[in-house]
PDB file of all heavy atoms in Angstrom:
ATOM      1  N   MET A   1      27.054   4.592 115.494  1.00  0.00           N
ATOM      2  CA  MET A   1      25.823   4.775 114.734  1.00  0.00           C
ATOM      3  C   MET A   1      25.610   3.562 113.843  1.00  0.00           C
ATOM      4  O   MET A   1      26.522   3.064 113.214  1.00  0.00           O
ATOM      5  CB  MET A   1      25.921   6.049 113.904  1.00  0.00           C
ATOM      6  CG  MET A   1      24.796   6.223 112.953  1.00  0.00           C
ATOM      7  SD  MET A   1      23.983   7.763 113.241  1.00  0.00           S
ATOM      8  CE  MET A   1      22.868   7.741 111.886  1.00  0.00           C
ATOM      9  N   GLU A   2      24.378   3.106 113.803  1.00  0.00           N
ATOM     10  CA  GLU A   2      24.039   1.965 112.970  1.00  0.00           C
ATOM     11  C   GLU A   2      23.915   2.396 111.514  1.00  0.00           C
ATOM     12  O   GLU A   2      23.438   3.476 111.206  1.00  0.00           O
ATOM     13  CB  GLU A   2      22.703   1.374 113.398  1.00  0.00           C
ATOM     14  CG  GLU A   2      22.747   0.607 114.675  1.00  0.00           C
ATOM     15  CD  GLU A   2      21.386  -0.031 114.936  1.00  0.00           C
ATOM     16  OE1 GLU A   2      20.379   0.695 114.912  1.00  0.00           O
ATOM     17  OE2 GLU A   2      21.371  -1.238 115.148  1.00  0.00           O
ATOM     18  N   LEU A   4      22.126   0.468 108.892  1.00  0.00           N
ATOM     19  CA  LEU A   4      21.338  -0.701 108.556  1.00  0.00           C
ATOM     20  C   LEU A   4      20.923  -0.704 107.096  1.00  0.00           C
ATOM     21  O   LEU A   4      20.675   0.341 106.496  1.00  0.00           O
ATOM     22  CB  LEU A   4      20.089  -0.772 109.439  1.00  0.00           C
ATOM     23  CG  LEU A   4      20.314  -0.934 110.932  1.00  0.00           C
ATOM     24  CD1 LEU A   4      18.993  -0.904 111.684  1.00  0.00           C
ATOM     25  CD2 LEU A   4      21.058  -2.226 111.224  1.00  0.00           C
ATOM     26  N   MET A   5      20.815  -1.921 106.558  1.00  0.00           N
ATOM     27  CA  MET A   5      20.369  -2.127 105.188  1.00  0.00           C
ATOM     28  C   MET A   5      19.272  -3.204 105.219  1.00  0.00           C
ATOM     29  O   MET A   5      19.310  -4.117 106.035  1.00  0.00           O
ATOM     30  CB  MET A   5      21.529  -2.591 104.295  1.00  0.00           C
ATOM     31  CG  MET A   5      22.710  -1.629 104.266  1.00  0.00           C
ATOM     32  SD  MET A   5      22.329  -0.075 103.457  1.00  0.00           S
ATOM     33  CE  MET A   5      22.337  -0.546 101.753  1.00  0.00           C
ATOM     34  N   LYS A   6      18.302  -3.074 104.293  1.00  0.00           N
ATOM     35  CA  LYS A   6      17.185  -4.015 104.230  1.00  0.00           C
ATOM     36  C   LYS A   6      17.106  -4.595 102.817  1.00  0.00           C
ATOM     37  O   LYS A   6      17.143  -3.864 101.832  1.00  0.00           O
ATOM     38  CB  LYS A   6      15.880  -3.304 104.586  1.00  0.00           C
ATOM     39  CG  LYS A   6      14.665  -4.196 104.577  1.00  0.00           C
ATOM     40  CD  LYS A   6      13.434  -3.409 105.009  1.00  0.00           C
ATOM     41  CE  LYS A   6      12.203  -4.293 104.987  1.00  0.00           C
ATOM     42  NZ  LYS A   6      11.014  -3.561 105.447  1.00  0.00           N
ATOM     43  N   VAL A  13      17.087  -7.542 107.526  1.00  0.00           N
ATOM     44  CA  VAL A  13      17.775  -6.322 107.933  1.00  0.00           C
ATOM     45  C   VAL A  13      19.106  -6.702 108.567  1.00  0.00           C
ATOM     46  O   VAL A  13      19.163  -7.583 109.434  1.00  0.00           O
ATOM     47  CB  VAL A  13      16.929  -5.507 108.930  1.00  0.00           C
ATOM     48  CG1 VAL A  13      17.690  -4.280 109.416  1.00  0.00           C
ATOM     49  CG2 VAL A  13      15.606  -5.096 108.303  1.00  0.00           C
ATOM     50  N   GLU A  34      18.716  -1.855 100.418  1.00  0.00           N
ATOM     51  CA  GLU A  34      18.498  -0.410 100.456  1.00  0.00           C
ATOM     52  C   GLU A  34      18.700   0.072 101.889  1.00  0.00           C
ATOM     53  O   GLU A  34      18.535  -0.704 102.842  1.00  0.00           O
ATOM     54  CB  GLU A  34      17.088  -0.061  99.960  1.00  0.00           C
ATOM     55  CG  GLU A  34      15.975  -0.638 100.805  1.00  0.00           C
ATOM     56  CD  GLU A  34      14.596  -0.408 100.211  1.00  0.00           C
ATOM     57  OE1 GLU A  34      14.475   0.163  99.118  1.00  0.00           O
ATOM     58  OE2 GLU A  34      13.615  -0.822 100.850  1.00  0.00           O
ATOM     59  N   PRO A  35      19.051   1.347 102.087  1.00  0.00           N
ATOM     60  CA  PRO A  35      19.229   1.860 103.456  1.00  0.00           C
ATOM     61  C   PRO A  35      17.929   1.698 104.262  1.00  0.00           C
ATOM     62  O   PRO A  35      16.820   1.787 103.727  1.00  0.00           O
ATOM     63  CB  PRO A  35      19.544   3.340 103.249  1.00  0.00           C
ATOM     64  CG  PRO A  35      20.076   3.417 101.857  1.00  0.00           C
ATOM     65  CD  PRO A  35      19.351   2.351 101.075  1.00  0.00           C
ATOM     66  N   TYR A  36      18.089   1.455 105.557  1.00  0.00           N
ATOM     67  CA  TYR A  36      16.936   1.187 106.421  1.00  0.00           C
ATOM     68  C   TYR A  36      17.142   1.860 107.764  1.00  0.00           C
ATOM     69  O   TYR A  36      18.221   1.789 108.346  1.00  0.00           O
ATOM     70  CB  TYR A  36      16.779  -0.329 106.606  1.00  0.00           C
ATOM     71  CG  TYR A  36      15.648  -0.728 107.534  1.00  0.00           C
ATOM     72  CD1 TYR A  36      14.328  -0.644 107.121  1.00  0.00           C
ATOM     73  CD2 TYR A  36      15.908  -1.180 108.816  1.00  0.00           C
ATOM     74  CE1 TYR A  36      13.289  -1.018 107.958  1.00  0.00           C
ATOM     75  CE2 TYR A  36      14.878  -1.559 109.662  1.00  0.00           C
ATOM     76  CZ  TYR A  36      13.571  -1.476 109.234  1.00  0.00           C
ATOM     77  OH  TYR A  36      12.556  -1.831 110.061  1.00  0.00           O
ATOM     78  N   LYS A  37      16.112   2.528 108.254  1.00  0.00           N
ATOM     79  CA  LYS A  37      16.132   3.112 109.588  1.00  0.00           C
ATOM     80  C   LYS A  37      15.148   2.326 110.434  1.00  0.00           C
ATOM     81  O   LYS A  37      13.951   2.289 110.142  1.00  0.00           O
ATOM     82  CB  LYS A  37      15.743   4.579 109.562  1.00  0.00           C
ATOM     83  CG  LYS A  37      15.730   5.196 110.951  1.00  0.00           C
ATOM     84  CD  LYS A  37      15.709   6.688 110.902  1.00  0.00           C
ATOM     85  CE  LYS A  37      15.578   7.356 112.234  1.00  0.00           C
ATOM     86  NZ  LYS A  37      16.127   6.739 113.391  1.00  0.00           N
ATOM     87  N   HIS A  38      15.654   1.687 111.473  1.00  0.00           N
ATOM     88  CA  HIS A  38      14.804   0.847 112.329  1.00  0.00           C
ATOM     89  C   HIS A  38      13.880   1.743 113.153  1.00  0.00           C
ATOM     90  O   HIS A  38      14.318   2.731 113.733  1.00  0.00           O
ATOM     91  CB  HIS A  38      15.667  -0.016 113.244  1.00  0.00           C
ATOM     92  CG  HIS A  38      15.007  -1.304 113.621  1.00  0.00           C
ATOM     93  ND1 HIS A  38      13.892  -1.365 114.398  1.00  0.00           N
ATOM     94  CD2 HIS A  38      15.300  -2.574 113.282  1.00  0.00           C
ATOM     95  CE1 HIS A  38      13.536  -2.614 114.550  1.00  0.00           C
ATOM     96  NE2 HIS A  38      14.374  -3.376 113.876  1.00  0.00           N
ATOM     97  N   PRO A  39      12.568   1.407 113.233  1.00  0.00           N
ATOM     98  CA  PRO A  39      11.619   2.244 113.968  1.00  0.00           C
ATOM     99  C   PRO A  39      11.709   2.085 115.493  1.00  0.00           C
ATOM    100  O   PRO A  39      11.130   2.869 116.227  1.00  0.00           O
ATOM    101  CB  PRO A  39      10.256   1.758 113.465  1.00  0.00           C
ATOM    102  CG  PRO A  39      10.487   0.353 113.051  1.00  0.00           C
ATOM    103  CD  PRO A  39      11.906   0.311 112.544  1.00  0.00           C
ATOM    104  N   VAL A  40      12.439   1.067 115.965  1.00  0.00           N
ATOM    105  CA  VAL A  40      12.537   0.795 117.397  1.00  0.00           C
ATOM    106  C   VAL A  40      13.923   1.195 117.881  1.00  0.00           C
ATOM    107  O   VAL A  40      14.933   0.913 117.220  1.00  0.00           O
ATOM    108  CB  VAL A  40      12.270  -0.704 117.676  1.00  0.00           C
ATOM    109  CG1 VAL A  40      12.434  -1.031 119.145  1.00  0.00           C
ATOM    110  CG2 VAL A  40      10.881  -1.088 117.199  1.00  0.00           C
ATOM    111  N   ARG A  45      15.319  -2.619 121.267  1.00  0.00           N
ATOM    112  CA  ARG A  45      15.577  -3.692 120.311  1.00  0.00           C
ATOM    113  C   ARG A  45      16.525  -4.737 120.881  1.00  0.00           C
ATOM    114  O   ARG A  45      16.346  -5.938 120.654  1.00  0.00           O
ATOM    115  CB  ARG A  45      16.125  -3.108 119.016  1.00  0.00           C
ATOM    116  CG  ARG A  45      15.925  -4.010 117.839  1.00  0.00           C
ATOM    117  CD  ARG A  45      16.234  -3.347 116.527  1.00  0.00           C
ATOM    118  NE  ARG A  45      17.558  -2.763 116.536  1.00  0.00           N
ATOM    119  CZ  ARG A  45      17.851  -1.564 116.052  1.00  0.00           C
ATOM    120  NH1 ARG A  45      16.928  -0.821 115.516  1.00  0.00           N
ATOM    121  NH2 ARG A  45      19.071  -1.107 116.085  1.00  0.00           N
TER     122      ARG A  45
END
Side-chain angles (χ1 to χ4, degrees):
M1 172 123 174
E2 286 185 307
L4 297 177
M5 302 292 284
K6 181 177 179 178
V13 176
E34 62 186 2
Y36 178 75
K37 179 165 175 31
H38 208 293
V40 177
R45 202 170 53 223

